[in-house]
Amino acid sequence: EKNKRWIGVVKMKLFRVSQKAFIRNDEGQLLLVRFSPNLHDPKLRGLWDIPGGGVEFGESLESAFDREVKEEIGVEVKRGDIITVWDWLATPKPIQGKAYKSIDGNDYHGIILGFDAQYIGGEIKLNEEHDRHEWIDPYRWREFNTGFELRKIERIWKDYLRWYETHISKTD
């Protein structure tokens, strides 16, 4: 199969490492971006997300983080700690009843690292993937259609809010 690689005698499936930036401003608000109605993947159109994307082969986590933030929103941020980690499957055939169709036709298992990020400056300039952004109180996230698996999203936000309450709320 085209999505498998041979390393010695072990047959490997592809993994994709990505990063998401939980960007907060000085008021403690979190930046959300909305996927454009023209996005290549119809399932994501109109859904809200946090900025971020994939790590390219040979690219460091730091470089990938900076590149993705610049590409998607064009601002300067200071990356902080890893807040949460989650995964998802991109495959045409559901595994254990769950799957997101891969755009390029390859099956892969996505591993996403969610980082704290402090907004430093610059005007938000969305790329073609997004058509809108909003700074929100992190406790209002349910008001925005983030799609995906609700249980997973609940855990991701719970991780963020736990981190937020121990690191940010105490400094207000």
Side-chain angles (χ1 to χ4, degrees), residues 105-125:
N106 289 316
D107 293 355
Y108 59 90
H109 192 154
I111 308 296
I112 301 99
L113 308 173
F115 284 91
D116 165 51
Q118 174 66 47
Y119 170 75
I120 302 297
E123 179 184 341
I124 294 176
K125 295 179 182 148

Side-chain angles (χ1 to χ4, degrees), residues 61-141:
L61 289 175
E62 293 82 8
S63 295
F65 183 89
D66 293 343
R67 176 184 52 76
E68 284 291 344
V69 169
K70 275 287 187 208
E71 284 177 5
E72 290 195 6
I73 58 174
V75 299
E76 185 182 349
V77 301
K78 180 181 178 193
R79 189 183 79 165
D81 299 328
I82 292 178
I83 297 169
T84 187
V85 177
W86 68 98
D87 68 329
W88 58 278
L89 297 172
T91 177
K93 297 177 187 170
I95 298 171
Q96 298 173 350
K98 301 173 190 167
Y100 305 100
K101 184 149 174 65
S102 168
I103 293 166
D104 61 7
N106 289 316
D107 293 355
Y108 59 90
H109 192 154
I111 308 296
I112 301 99
L113 308 173
F115 284 91
D116 165 51
Q118 174 66 47
Y119 170 75
I120 302 297
E123 179 184 341
I124 294 176
K125 295 179 182 148
L126 301 174
N127 68 3
E128 67 283 349
E129 292 178 17
H130 303 101
D131 69 345
R132 190 169 157 206
H133 74 278
E134 193 159 331
W135 290 101
I136 68 161
D137 178 310
Y139 296 97
R140 288 185 44 225
W141 73 269

Side-chain angles (χ1 to χ4, degrees), residues 9-171:
V9 294
V10 178
K11 201 179 231 185
M12 303 287 290
K13 288 254 186 192
L14 295 178
F15 281 85
R16 171 92 170 152
V17 177
S18 299
Q19 300 177 79
K20 290 292 187 172
F22 287 83
I23 301 170
R24 58 189 165 74
N25 61 20
D26 289 339
E27 289 79 40
Q29 296 172 310
L30 183 69
L31 180 66
L32 293 183
V33 291
R34 188 175 70 182
F35 286 114
S36 166
N38 302 321
L39 192 69
H40 50 74
D41 187 345
K43 294 184 311 298
L44 298 176
R45 294 174 184 164
L47 296 180
W48 290 87
D49 196 16
I50 53 178
V55 178
E56 302 298 332
F57 183 79
E59 187 176 36
S60 71
L61 289 175
E62 293 82 8
S63 295
F65 183 89
D66 293 343
R67 176 184 52 76
E68 284 291 344
V69 169
K70 275 287 187 208
E71 284 177 5
E72 290 195 6
I73 58 174
V75 299
E76 185 182 349
V77 301
K78 180 181 178 193
R79 189 183 79 165
D81 299 328
I82 292 178
I83 297 169
T84 187
V85 177
W86 68 98
D87 68 329
W88 58 278
L89 297 172
T91 177
K93 297 177 187 170
I95 298 171
Q96 298 173 350
K98 301 173 190 167
Y100 305 100
K101 184 149 174 65
S102 168
I103 293 166
D104 61 7
N106 289 316
D107 293 355
Y108 59 90
H109 192 154
I111 308 296
I112 301 99
L113 308 173
F115 284 91
D116 165 51
Q118 174 66 47
Y119 170 75
I120 302 297
E123 179 184 341
I124 294 176
K125 295 179 182 148
L126 301 174
N127 68 3
E128 67 283 349
E129 292 178 17
H130 303 101
D131 69 345
R132 190 169 157 206
H133 74 278
E134 193 159 331
W135 290 101
I136 68 161
D137 178 310
Y139 296 97
R140 288 185 44 225
W141 73 269
R142 283 186 180 89
E143 298 173 23
F144 296 82
N145 182 5
T146 55
F148 305 111
E149 299 173 50
L150 185 60
R151 234 180 291 132
K152 193 170 283 189
I153 295 295
E154 288 276 350
R155 188 196 53 81
I156 293 164
W157 280 99
K158 189 182 289 183
D159 288 349
Y160 176 75
L161 292 172
R162 185 180 315 113
W163 179 91
Y164 178 84
E165 288 165 357
T166 58
H167 292 83
I168 305 304
S169 291
K170 290 182 178 179
T171 62

